[in-house]
């Protein structure tokens, strides 16, 4: 992502965070989809930052994505198993989140194995 697009995504994400924060303060209710602007902000911040902050922001974005994905996907999967009406968008988000977690774990294990077997 170029720095210009990164700044644009960061600005849009921050506006979304502020809007959702005000909405939460006024209405008193918050939904899991309200975390998406926070995820956008963390990803854009990670792309724009350098050094150790970049890794921390990428980790924060991954944690937000996994939390929101599983919080939305697990109840949808439970509804599917129970035979209740299913929100297919939530179920799809949960499945994609599970795939993201599997691929991320496999990549981490492969990286550790490659670093361990590399000649010193």
């Amino acid at each position: 992502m170029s720095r210009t697009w990164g700044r644009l995504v960061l600005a849009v994400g921050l506006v979304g965070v502020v809007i959702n924060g005000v909405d939460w303060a006024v209405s008193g209710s918050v939904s899991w989809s309200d975390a998406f602007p926070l995820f956008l902000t963390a990803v854009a911040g990670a792309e724009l930052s350098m050094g150790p902050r970049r890794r921390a922001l990428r980790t924060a974005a991954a944690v937000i994505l996994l939390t929101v994905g599983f919080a939305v996907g697990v109840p949808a999967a439970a509804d599917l198993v129970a035979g209740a009406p299913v929100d297919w968008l939530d179920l799809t988000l949960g499945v994609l989140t599970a795939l993201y977690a599997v691929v991320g774990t496999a990549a981490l294990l492969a990286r550790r194995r490659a670093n361990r077997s590399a000649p010193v």
Side-chain angles (χ1 to χ4, degrees):
M1 177 183 320
S2 71
R3 295 199 61 79
T4 303
W5 282 108
R7 289 180 182 137
L8 180 66
V9 170
L10 183 65
V12 169
L14 287 173
V15 167
V17 167
V18 169
I19 289 171
N20 285 337
V22 170
D23 182 42
W24 172 69
V26 171
S27 70
S29 66
V30 64
S31 66
W32 286 107
S33 61
D34 293 340
F36 186 72
L38 186 61
F39 170 69
L40 273 180
T41 304
V43 169
E47 292 299 319
L48 292 173
S49 65
M50 302 289 184
R53 286 183 294 163
R54 183 177 194 153
R55 186 173 182 166
L57 284 171
R58 280 187 173 176
T59 302
V63 167
I64 292 168
L65 176 70
L66 290 172
T67 303
V68 170
F70 285 132
V72 169
V74 169
D79 288 344
L80 180 67
V81 171
V86 177
D87 186 347
W88 291 101
L89 182 61
D90 289 350
L91 184 64
T92 304
L93 180 62
V95 168
L96 290 175
T97 301
L99 290 174
Y100 175 79
V102 167
V103 169
T105 303
L108 179 66
L109 293 174
R111 194 174 319 125
R112 285 186 179 178
R113 181 174 291 167
N115 287 341
R116 200 174 337 130
S117 65
V120 178

